[in-house]
Amino acid sequence: MYEHYWQQVGEKTTVVIRGWQHMSYFSDVSNICWFLEPELAKEIVRVHRVVGNAVTEGRHIIVGTGSSQLFLAALFALSPRDGPEPVSVVSQAPFYSSYPSMTDCLKSGLYKWAGDAQSYSKEGPYIELVTSPNNPDGNVRRSVVNRSEGTLVHDLAYYWPQYTPISSPADHELMLFTVSKSTGHAGMRIGWALVKDLEVAKRMIKFIELNTIGVSKDSQVRATKVLKAVSDSSEHAGSWEGVESFFKFSYRVMAERWKLLREAVNSSRIFSVPEYPPAHCNFLNRVFEPQPAFAWLKCERDIDDCESFLRGHKILARGGKHFGVSPKYVRVSMLDRDNNFNLFVKRLSTILL
């Protein structure tokens, strides 16, 4: 979806890396995150200040190979070292479909997936994953277990103004962000964590050191350029030669796509999508309903397997069972290229029973 915008921006985000540049493992040995490029750290702080979606003061910034690596680093850092058994990892259903497989893929002795946070009742330490806005259903989330022995990881990949109103800066112990959802550059594989506790930050950094000996400098340099352009487009919009601010463009496209999707859903009378309460966005200075990156589509009537039903109508979606809920639900991306999204809406609106 974001390709068109970055084509308009043109050379402002072009990066030239010469063969002799960025050859060392090290970026800044004075920083505890010694592989974090200093200019990237500056642009991360700046974009959060511009948007107002996260507190960066008093936080350690850790760069990762996407937020996926940072998620695993957080589990490693937060797991008790002397526990009699792996610590339980939970998240409220519907949860991000990769959480269970990522948690259990190495069969770690430190942590294990324990399912839906709402039904979790085991005594002892636990780690709760709070994704807000939530993937897949787009709802604002808070922790649900709320016991003293728990620790929280806040996955805020979608807390940006094209997806949801920014009501206040997020202020949590450990927060994850990624360029893939904020700017569309999934192929960069760059994410970052804002971590309050120094010892947790050190353990996360140690995990990344053992896992990949740092993070690609080439990707960090490119991410720096892109984040700078995002902030510049908001702070200096008047000097951008007809290119609107990144977040205004993104908001406008998402609003139009959700309008088209709701029209298609209403015309079919077979499906439903959630209704979201409107809220005021401090960044855009307007009231609007959340317009998530994914549509959480439900098949009504007697359709029990929505994923298979849609596949029969040449629409690919991910079924609810992957997210810990009924197969009557599916997740559909709202971020594809215009041609694919328009084809999806057209096919959806013509389905009849």
Side-chain angles (χ1 to χ4, degrees):
M1 185 191 90
Y2 296 103
E3 279 180 347
H4 178 64
Y5 182 83
W6 295 114
Q7 287 168 354
Q8 286 183 308
V9 169
E11 296 301 308
K12 288 184 175 67
T13 52
T14 296
V15 174
V16 176
I17 298 175
R18 294 171 177 83
W20 51 267
Q21 292 180 304
H22 312 307
M23 292 178 67
S24 171
Y25 288 119
F26 299 95
S27 295
D28 180 3
V29 294
S30 67
N31 189 339
I32 63 163
C33 189
W34 49 267
F35 46 82
L36 169 62
E37 287 291 302
E39 290 303 312
L40 176 58
K42 291 178 184 177
E43 291 303 330
I44 287 171
V45 170
R46 182 187 176 203
V47 76
H48 284 306
R49 175 182 56 78
V50 169
V51 176
N53 64 339
V55 173
T56 58
E57 294 81 4
R59 263 53 174 200
H60 304 283
I61 300 175
I62 305 171
V63 66
T65 305
S67 59
S68 298
Q69 186 183 38
L70 292 163
F71 164 71
L72 295 173
L75 296 187
F76 175 82
L78 296 173
S79 297
R81 291 296 176 271
D82 54 356
E85 61 181 352
V87 67
S88 296
V89 180
V90 298
S91 187
Q92 182 182 354
F95 41 71
Y96 175 43
S97 59
S98 290
Y99 281 158
S101 56
M102 290 173 67
T103 303
D104 286 345
C105 68
L106 294 180
K107 301 188 184 301
S108 171
L110 296 176
Y111 49 81
K112 65 178 181 180
W113 178 250
D116 187 358
Q118 284 188 304
S119 58
Y120 182 74
S121 59
K122 185 178 178 180
E123 295 298 323
Y126 65 91
I127 299 171
E128 183 176 354
L129 312 173
V130 182
T131 306
S132 186
N134 190 42
N135 174 1
D137 64 7
N139 286 316
V140 173
R141 284 283 183 85
R142 292 176 176 83
S143 59
V144 297
V145 181
N146 295 324
R147 295 208 299 266
S148 60
E149 294 177 280
T151 52
L152 303 178
V153 176
H154 282 82
D155 185 345
L156 305 180
Y158 302 95
Y159 192 47
W160 297 98
Q162 65 266 51
Y163 305 125
T164 193
I166 305 301
S167 56
S168 63
D171 185 6
H172 306 290
E173 292 285 329
L174 198 163
M175 302 179 282
L176 304 181
F177 293 89
T178 171
V179 294
S180 67
K181 304 308 185 296
S182 54
T183 72
H185 291 87
M188 276 188 199
R189 308 309 307 131
I190 290 291
W192 64 91
L194 303 177
V195 184
K196 185 179 289 186
D197 186 87
L198 175 61
E199 294 306 312
V200 171
K202 286 180 177 178
R203 288 196 291 270
M204 290 181 67
I205 291 162
K206 187 63 177 179
F207 176 89
I208 296 171
E209 177 186 329
L210 295 171
N211 187 228
T212 52
I213 322 180
V215 175
S216 167
K217 288 188 178 182
D218 293 358
S219 289
Q220 290 189 64
V221 168
R222 190 171 175 220
T224 301
K225 195 83 167 180
V226 166
L227 290 179
K228 182 179 186 302
V230 167
S231 296
D232 284 349
S233 74
S234 294
E235 292 191 321
H236 312 298
S239 61
W240 267 55
E241 301 169 2
V243 179
E244 63 186 318
S245 90
F246 171 77
F247 289 116
K248 286 184 179 179
F249 165 88
S250 305
Y251 167 84
R252 179 173 52 78
V253 174
M254 290 302 297
E256 177 62 21
R257 288 188 172 197
W258 270 96
K259 177 176 177 289
L260 293 173
L261 176 64
R262 290 191 184 279
E263 289 173 353
V265 166
N266 292 336
S267 68
S268 74
R269 300 183 180 180
I270 300 171
F271 309 102
S272 63
V273 290
E275 297 290 338
Y276 303 101
H280 183 267
C281 177
N282 294 333
F283 175 76
L284 293 174
N285 194 27
R286 65 191 304 167
V287 174
F288 66 94
E289 298 174 8
Q291 38 200 40
F294 296 101
W296 188 233
L297 199 67
K298 182 182 180 182
C299 284
E300 304 289 354
R301 304 187 188 182
D302 58 350
I303 304 169
D304 295 324
D305 186 342
C306 197
E307 181 180 3
S308 297
F309 177 77
L310 288 176
R311 189 183 300 114
H313 293 272
K314 298 183 178 180
I315 296 174
L316 297 179
R318 193 160 177 79
K321 64 181 180 180
H322 299 287
F323 305 92
V325 296
S326 166
K328 289 183 73 69
Y329 291 90
V330 294
R331 187 193 73 173
V332 184
S333 174
M334 297 290 287
L335 303 181
D336 209 333
R337 293 182 175 93
D338 287 343
N339 289 342
N340 287 340
F341 179 80
N342 292 334
L343 183 59
F344 155 62
V345 169
K346 180 180 178 181
R347 289 180 178 176
L348 193 71
S349 64
T350 57
I351 297 175
L352 301 173
L353 282 181

